[in-house]
Amino acid sequence: MDDQVNHLTPAHPAHGNDSGAELYARAEADRKAFWAAQARRLHWDEPWQHVLDWSRPPIARWFDGGRLNVAYNCVDRHVEAGYGDQVAVHWVGEPGDTRDITYRDLHRMVQQAANALAGLGLRAGDRVAIQLPMIPEAIVAMLACARLGLVHSVVFAGFSPAALRARVDDARARVVVTADGQYRRGRAVPMKEKVDEALVDADSVERVIVVRRVGADLDDDTPWQNGRDIWWHDLLRDASDHHDAESFDAEHPLFILYTSGTTGKPKGILHTSGGYLTQAAYTHRIVFDHRPGSDVYWCTADIGWITGHTYLVYGPLANRTTQVVYEGTPNVPHEGRHWEIIQRYRVSLYYTAPTLIRTFMKWGEQIPARYDLSSLRVLGSVGEPINPEAWLWYHQHVGGGRSPIVDTWWQTETGAIMVAPLPGLRAPKPGAAQRPLPGIGAKVVDDEGRQVSPGASGYLVIDSPWPAMARGIWGDDERFRTTYWDRFAAHDDYFAGDGARYDTDGDIWILGRTDDVMNVSGHRLSTAEIESALVAHPAVAEAAVVGASDALTGQRVIGFVVARGEADPPTADDLRRYVAEAIGPIATPREIHSVPELPKTRSGKIVRRLLRDIADGREPSETTTLADPAVITDIAQRFGPRTDA
Ligand code: WTA
């Protein structure tokens, strides 16, 4: 591997007018002035008085006193500057239908949608839940909310009715925006009836707006609740396409996005306007070296995750990007779908997740080889550690050995990219996120919060406030503090939950989560959340869930259950259905094992580490803390020797 790596030299310097080295130097010299300069690239209706107010940690205030409109920055100003004819979105539907939406089109749609939402009586600060497939209306709905100062909560379309309901209730959403159905793997599947199921007696919800996406491709008519439900196209048809954007405080809430933590209840991560948009636009510009008007960018994430928020909606649109948005799965109707789209639209910047790269590897290099991928200039990776094999394959078979790869580390909570190499600046290292971006202070520390030396491992922390940082957990500031800030409170550092190490050059390698959060195909899943879904089954007394290593998806979910009393152990299929209903199919355990007891400490805590050892095919280590070590020996025997892990 080292030989191959040594051949990789830095590609052309790639950050527009700023050299990467200059950016580092300027940020180093004066961090606040550096961020102020980034913020000035946006349009502000009122200037800020203070760049940063960190007097009440852990809630920062950035650009306090400044006022702006996020949607105006993402759409109107580009039209006003004469770029109305530039394509904002080349949209590709799964069945092959396409739409090219210019900034002028987007401007019209967002104004109409804003007028329509305002007409329903929504006021700044109200919450709107959005559960939509990857269609242009999803972007329009988010921007219309931003334009009105409404707080959106986008819920991944693959989440179950119960998961949607929990999010609607927690944020007390007044309106839900959804679709009649969605195309998944070549088939139209209903969505609206699931949303109805979610919203039975949901007392905060006044209106459900329904986008017609699949229409007659569904077997049944869309179920309808008169007085509550309204078609998106009816609502927009009656709305004016002129809407003056009002300005909002820099700290006005922009969105809530729920993410899994170490308890059963997802956290509503809150982001605000000015700082978030500043860092979203800055990182999108420098990490991808985006050049407006000439690049064609494609981020393959779903809008239901933070990557979709920051790198499909806010960052790229603030930077006047022309981008591809694809609705469907990568192998419908064939395994060359992504390469065909890159060839067709001459995509130059492509941002995806390691799991997908490993899937492409499995399908074979002969597939991308059939397409002209010479337009690609920078490749990105996000969501999980990228293994060197996948990195090299991506570099070779997608990037033609030319394009730099930016491995970007960040989280829902950080709002935007934090650690990533700048393309062309340093020799790339397959599998390393390398350095904090200019303006970001990230380091690896030991148990006491002291920075570790080159070559050593520890915890990744962020040591100074950053503009896109979360401003709390919706309705639970205490949980925000205890989850992220108490661990290294002595240093005021943010604890990311990831392990990391420095190599001897001082570059950062992300090692993965140190807590009970799993990462399956780049999606964050909580062991506790899945366990609580399993124990909701009447025949289950106890459950433990672990993430075992998986060559394709990074981790896979394995459940262990103890049946209740004399009850027959429930079948694995039955239990999987329980999890799919509580959370969604992405969370269903690959394997579920019925065991007589779970390994516990004397104080009754489940020791998941030992179950993970077994699931990974390792000998369980350090069983001395167990109340009864025989329990784990027994489970290990039931498992037998494993060769597939
Ligand atoms: C993991 C996704 C290694 C990490 C943007 C983090 C990564 C969690 C990388 C956040 C990367 C994200 N290398 N690990 N480049 N990017 N992660 O909130 O464990 O869905 O804590 O945000 O994904 O997941 P989230």
Side-chain angles (χ1 to χ4, degrees):
M1 176 87 42
D2 273 356
D3 276 357
Q4 298 179 63
V5 176
N6 289 338
H7 292 135
L8 303 173
T9 45
H12 55 95
H15 344 85
N17 299 325
D18 295 310
S19 96
E22 266 169 41
L23 283 175
Y24 276 107
R26 266 187 273 142
E28 190 87 345
D30 186 342
R31 198 185 294 253
K32 282 192 202 172
F34 176 80
W35 282 118
Q38 304 313 324
R40 264 183 231 111
R41 301 177 74 101
L42 301 176
H43 174 87
W44 294 81
D45 298 308
E46 301 272 347
W48 56 83
Q49 269 106 49
H50 304 282
V51 175
L52 169 65
D53 173 358
W54 189 231
S55 59
R56 284 177 303 275
I59 311 287
R61 296 184 69 85
W62 280 87
F63 310 115
D64 221 2
R67 292 179 71 84
L68 79 170
N69 185 288
V70 168
Y72 176 89
N73 273 283
C74 291
V75 186
D76 306 43
R77 66 172 173 144
H78 307 318
V79 177
E80 288 171 14
Y83 298 103
D85 291 333
Q86 183 183 326
V87 171
V89 175
H90 291 294
W91 178 78
V92 182
E94 196 184 80
D97 47 340
T98 61
R99 284 164 76 182
D100 283 346
I101 298 168
T102 63
Y103 273 95
R104 183 171 296 107
D105 298 333
L106 190 61
H107 191 210
R108 196 194 63 246
M109 291 157 84
V110 172
Q111 292 183 87
Q112 272 182 321
N115 280 322
L117 291 177
L120 297 178
L122 292 167
R123 288 181 309 271
D126 286 345
R127 274 80 58 204
V128 173
I130 299 175
Q131 190 175 41
L132 281 172
M134 290 290 289
I135 54 179
E137 287 78 3
I139 298 173
V140 173
M142 290 165 78
L143 290 171
C145 287
R147 192 175 190 92
L148 295 171
L150 305 173
V151 184
H152 60 67
S153 162
V154 180
V155 179
F156 175 54
F159 276 140
S160 69
L164 171 63
R165 175 59 177 272
R167 287 156 176 76
V168 163
D169 282 352
D170 187 69
R172 300 215 44 83
R174 290 184 64 189
V175 165
V176 177
V177 186
T178 188
D180 56 349
Q182 59 176 326
Y183 292 102
R184 287 318 279 172
R185 299 175 210 288
R187 241 164 28 93
V189 294
M191 273 187 95
K192 170 64 166 50
E193 65 184 48
K194 299 262 184 210
V195 170
D196 285 352
E197 188 186 324
L199 299 182
V200 174
D201 296 330
D203 62 356
S204 66
V205 177
E206 297 157 34
R207 293 300 199 126
V208 176
I209 304 173
V210 188
V211 178
R212 181 179 281 149
R213 168 58 187 136
V214 296
D217 283 352
L218 279 180
D219 295 336
D220 298 316
D221 280 349
T222 303
W224 211 251
Q225 192 171 311
N226 285 330
R228 185 196 68 177
D229 300 347
I230 179 160
W231 286 108
W232 169 274
H233 54 264
D234 286 341
L235 195 63
L236 262 70
R237 193 183 35 230
D238 299 336
S240 147
D241 62 6
H242 179 86
H243 179 270
D244 286 324
E246 187 189 329
S247 51
F248 294 97
D249 196 274
E251 286 297 340
H252 187 78
L254 181 62
F255 65 86
I256 306 169
L257 184 61
Y258 288 82
T259 186
S260 294
T262 51
T263 73
K265 190 173 183 284
K267 300 173 280 200
I269 300 299
L270 174 68
H271 283 287
T272 58
S273 305
Y276 170 80
L277 193 64
T278 295
Q279 195 179 332
Y282 158 73
T283 50
H284 175 261
R285 181 170 63 83
I286 67 152
V287 172
F288 299 101
D289 178 37
H290 172 257
R291 298 166 191 176
S294 62
D295 274 315
V296 178
Y297 164 84
W298 182 10
C299 167
T300 68
D302 190 282
I303 46 135
W305 309 104
I306 190 68
T307 307
H309 284 58
T310 308
Y311 296 106
L312 197 142
V313 181
Y314 293 110
L317 294 176
N319 289 338
R320 186 168 50 86
T321 302
T322 294
Q323 67 177 325
V324 167
V325 174
Y326 174 52
E327 180 184 36
T329 30
N331 53 350
V332 174
H334 57 79
E335 291 170 347
R337 191 67 188 263
H338 276 222
W339 320 127
E340 182 182 75
I341 292 173
I342 290 172
Q343 173 178 288
R344 169 165 179 184
Y345 293 103
R346 307 286 305 152
V347 171
S348 52
L349 315 173
Y350 178 71
Y351 191 29
T352 195
T355 294
L356 196 56
I357 299 165
R358 290 191 293 264
T359 305
F360 292 143
M361 280 173 80
K362 197 178 74 180
W363 292 342
E365 64 204 48
Q366 73 285 358
I367 297 179
R370 283 184 211 131
Y371 298 87
D372 175 8
L373 306 181
S374 62
S375 54
L376 289 171
R377 195 164 69 74
V378 178
L379 304 175
S381 171
V382 61
E384 48 182 324
I386 179 165
N387 48 313
E389 294 73 18
W391 194 104
L392 288 166
W393 192 92
Y394 194 26
H395 184 71
Q396 198 56 42
H397 298 292
V398 180
R402 283 178 332 273
S403 316
I405 296 179
V406 287
D407 178 4
T408 63
W409 178 89
W410 59 294
Q411 308 178 299
T412 306
E413 295 85 342
T414 70
I417 298 171
M418 303 293 280
V419 182
L422 292 186
L425 191 62
R426 296 166 56 78
K429 292 184 183 176
Q434 298 193 322
R435 295 285 161 117
L437 291 180
I440 300 297
K443 62 188 186 200
V444 184
V445 302
D446 65 14
D447 263 317
E448 270 76 56
R450 291 176 304 231
Q451 187 161 6
V452 303
S453 342
S457 312
Y459 305 97
L460 186 66
V461 299
I462 316 292
D463 64 10
S464 39
W466 63 102
M469 68 197 295
R471 301 299 199 269
I473 293 176
W474 185 257
D476 200 347
D477 281 347
E478 192 45 35
R479 188 175 176 198
F480 184 61
R481 185 184 300 277
T482 53
T483 310
Y484 306 105
W485 301 92
D486 277 1
R487 180 75 174 77
F488 296 109
H491 305 263
D492 256 350
D493 287 349
Y494 168 86
F495 173 47
D498 281 297
R501 78 178 166 84
Y502 286 125
D503 64 17
T504 46
D505 301 330
D507 277 324
I508 295 176
W509 296 67
I510 309 291
L511 302 173
R513 304 288 307 185
T514 59
D515 53 13
D516 287 323
V517 172
M518 295 170 291
N519 191 325
V520 178
S521 301
H523 297 150
R524 254 163 92 166
L525 297 172
S526 143
T527 54
E529 217 179 322
I530 301 175
E531 286 164 4
S532 72
L534 289 170
V535 296
H537 190 288
V540 174
E542 284 185 285
V545 164
V546 300
S549 318
D550 187 275
L552 192 64
T553 56
Q555 286 190 306
R556 65 185 195 286
V557 181
I558 312 276
F560 296 84
V561 296
V562 179
R564 191 177 281 280
E566 299 302 297
D568 281 340
T571 67
D573 278 351
D574 199 17
L575 289 171
R576 274 199 203 100
R577 199 160 44 241
Y578 251 70
V579 177
E581 279 170 16
I583 306 168
I586 50 163
T588 54
R590 194 86 62 84
E591 300 165 21
I592 298 185
H593 302 276
S594 208
V595 295
E597 269 184 84
L598 294 173
K600 288 185 185 159
T601 61
R602 280 176 208 95
S603 60
K605 272 184 77 168
I606 299 172
V607 188
R608 292 186 186 77
R609 170 177 57 81
L610 296 173
L611 294 171
R612 206 156 39 228
D613 284 343
I614 290 180
D616 281 344
R618 284 189 302 269
E619 201 58 38
S621 51
E622 286 185 32
T623 58
T624 48
T625 54
L626 292 182
D628 179 5
V631 170
I632 198 75
T633 322
D634 178 63
I635 297 176
Q637 272 164 9
R638 285 163 187 268
F639 242 76
R642 295 180 60 88
T643 49
D644 59 348

